[in-house]
Structures are given as C-alpha cells and as structure tokens.
Amino acid sequence: MSAPLPGIVITGASGRMGQMLIRSVSENDRMRLAGAVERKGHDWVGRDVGEAMGGAALGVTVTDDALSVFAEAQAVIDFTAPAATVEFAHLAAQARLCHVIGTTGMEEQHLAKIQAAARHAVIVRAGNMSLGVNLLTLLTEKVARALDAEYDIEVIEAHHNRKVDAPSGTALMLGEAAARGRGVALADVADRGRDGITGARQTGDIGFAVIRGGDIVGEHDVMFAAAGERITLRHVASDRSVFARGALKAALWGQDKAPGEYDMIDVLGLRD
C-alpha cells in the first residue's frame, strides 16, 4: 500500500498568492490540499475554498481555526503578514509540521520568534521561493566577493502597486548576499533612502532603489558599477506560479528533515 499523500494547508487563502497556492496544490499529484485558513470574520470562512475562488468545490472548508487543520496536516505554506506568520509559526511548532514561509517585511522581533519556533519544527523561510532568484543570490555573493569596493553595488527592484513593503524581501536577500560577499554586515552599509541633497555616494555602500507600478510580478537587478563598466545580474518573474512551485518543492523537501530553520538554497541543494 502506498503512503498517504502529505497534506498541505494554505494560509491567507483569499490572497493572490493564497489562491495560486491552492490551485497549485490541488493540481499536484504528490500532495493534497488539507486546509485553507483565513482571518476571523473573513467572508470566506465556512465556505468551500474552491467555490469561494469562483470555481468547482474542492472539498475543503475555509477555517479561522488554524491549529485544528495544522494538526491533521504535514505542512503549511504561508505568504501572509509578519504578525500572522509569527502566530502560525507558534502553532506549526505545536503541531510539529513543516512551515514554509514566503512572508516578507519581517523585522528582528519577528525573526527571533520564528527562530525560537524552529527548535521544534522544520521552517523553510526565504524572501523568494523561485529557483532563478536563488541562483541570482548565489551569483551576487560570488561577484561581490570577486570585485572590490571600487564597484558600487545597487539593488533595483520593481513590483505591483499593491505591494506594502519596500525594499522587497528579495531585494534585501540580494543585499545580504552582496554584503556576505564583501565580508560586511548589510545593516552597516545599506543605503535605503535618497531624497534631496544627500551628498556623494559613500564608497562600499549597497544601495536600494524601489519601483511600484501596475501589475509587475517581480523584477530584480543587481548592478556592479565602476568607472568605465557596469555588470548587471537580472531576474524577471512574469508569473506568480514560479513562487508557488518553489514553495511546494520546499513543503515536500521538509518532510524528513530535523527541526531547524532552512532556506531555498538548502531545498535546492546549492549550499556549499
């Protein structure tokens, strides 16, 4: 008899990523949709999630009781908001299931609580779940290591007009990679705001520029600029399905891992 398919819970079911993830899990023959979670008072609660999305019934009722569905599942995929993700991490640790986190905009207090939860459960957290972006992260670190501070580093990102955090989690992930390559802490060299008479650019800074407009899914450039030449590494996402594919891969990868905090570099087997 074959083993049962791992059950996957999706939080933030009504959101754009939530709906993409629900469709992706429902169409994947290596897993099953075990639950869909929304906040208390949301009008999807109590409805079949497929019908709430405007399609056929999927046999899964949207709930605001996350722990009840976590207890019957093997993984939760979470692209919500920092405060909600911290609460889900606590509940996932209680249920001992794999928690895949694509939420961005985290601050230090959120990360500390997630790190504590990882003592009891597998947490896979990444600013971006796509294969291409994670390869870009590795390349950014390698190029930053190879080039000295004569090359100014700029991270330029563009997203849709409804994105609430800036710079994006991916941009910060790329900035961290560049800082590692340079052997410095990003917090010491990040330049995240330029307006007015700012003075000349400081040597060694890692700059960030943000674009918000229309329905841009996600574009990220890392520019290394020196006198006489520029090197630009670029990733363009044209469909959110690239993030869903990576998240599903992470949920399956985490099934046999020891408790701890991992990232997509671990999932993709790219760790040196």
Side-chain angles (χ1 to χ4, degrees):
M1 180 180 296
S2 60
L5 296 176
I8 312 296
V9 176
I10 306 301
T11 60
S14 70
R16 283 181 294 179
M17 269 308 301
Q19 293 187 51
M20 172 67 74
L21 288 161
I22 287 165
R23 286 191 291 269
S24 298
V25 171
S26 299
E27 294 166 0
N28 192 300
D29 60 7
R30 298 180 62 196
M31 57 184 62
R32 61 184 174 83
L33 183 64
V37 177
E38 258 303 342
R39 65 186 181 277
K40 292 184 186 300
H42 195 282
D43 60 9
W44 280 27
V45 174
R47 299 174 62 191
D48 182 279
V49 70
E51 293 177 344
M53 290 168 55
L58 294 176
V60 172
T61 300
V62 180
T63 182
D64 58 13
D65 182 3
L67 186 57
S68 67
V69 288
F70 285 12
E72 303 299 325
Q74 284 69 53
V76 53
I77 302 178
D78 177 14
F79 284 71
T80 55
T85 292
V86 167
E87 179 62 22
F88 290 139
H90 174 68
L91 298 176
Q94 288 185 53
R96 301 295 194 270
L97 79 172
C98 174
H99 187 186
V100 178
I101 300 174
T103 302
T104 59
M106 299 280 193
E107 297 181 359
E108 287 302 318
Q109 67 266 28
H110 303 124
L111 297 175
K113 292 176 181 177
I114 287 168
Q115 187 176 39
R119 293 199 294 266
H120 308 287
V122 174
I123 292 180
V124 181
R125 186 180 66 83
N128 193 299
M129 295 284 174
S130 86
L131 171 60
V133 161
N134 283 279
L135 289 172
L136 177 61
T137 301
L138 291 178
L139 290 170
T140 296
E141 183 174 348
K142 290 181 183 298
V143 174
R145 185 177 296 121
L147 301 176
D148 60 26
E150 291 183 4
Y151 286 79
D152 298 323
I153 302 176
E154 293 285 319
V155 181
I156 306 104
E157 59 102 338
H159 282 88
H160 54 88
N161 57 19
R162 294 173 62 190
K163 187 167 179 62
V164 299
D165 58 309
S168 69
T170 303
L172 293 172
M173 186 169 75
L174 293 168
E176 291 282 3
R180 282 196 303 275
R182 285 271 169 93
V184 297
L186 181 61
D188 295 336
V189 297
D191 185 354
R192 294 174 55 169
R194 295 171 181 151
D195 185 31
I197 307 301
T198 60
R201 191 187 197 283
Q202 294 296 308
T203 300
D205 277 1
I206 296 175
F208 291 85
V210 174
I211 298 166
R212 293 288 177 266
D215 61 355
I216 301 169
V217 174
E219 300 179 3
H220 294 86
D221 293 79
V222 184
M223 178 190 298
F224 298 83
E229 67 176 351
R230 292 192 303 275
I231 302 165
T232 301
L233 306 176
R234 180 161 224 240
H235 179 269
V236 176
S238 57
D239 191 315
R240 275 183 188 79
S241 63
V242 300
F243 312 131
R245 284 199 300 270
L248 268 58
K249 185 179 182 72
L252 292 173
W253 178 88
Q255 292 305 299
D256 60 354
K257 301 301 181 293
E261 189 171 1
Y262 304 89
D263 59 22
M264 285 300 291
I265 302 299
D266 296 306
V267 172
L268 297 170
L270 298 176
R271 185 73 63 198
D272 288 339

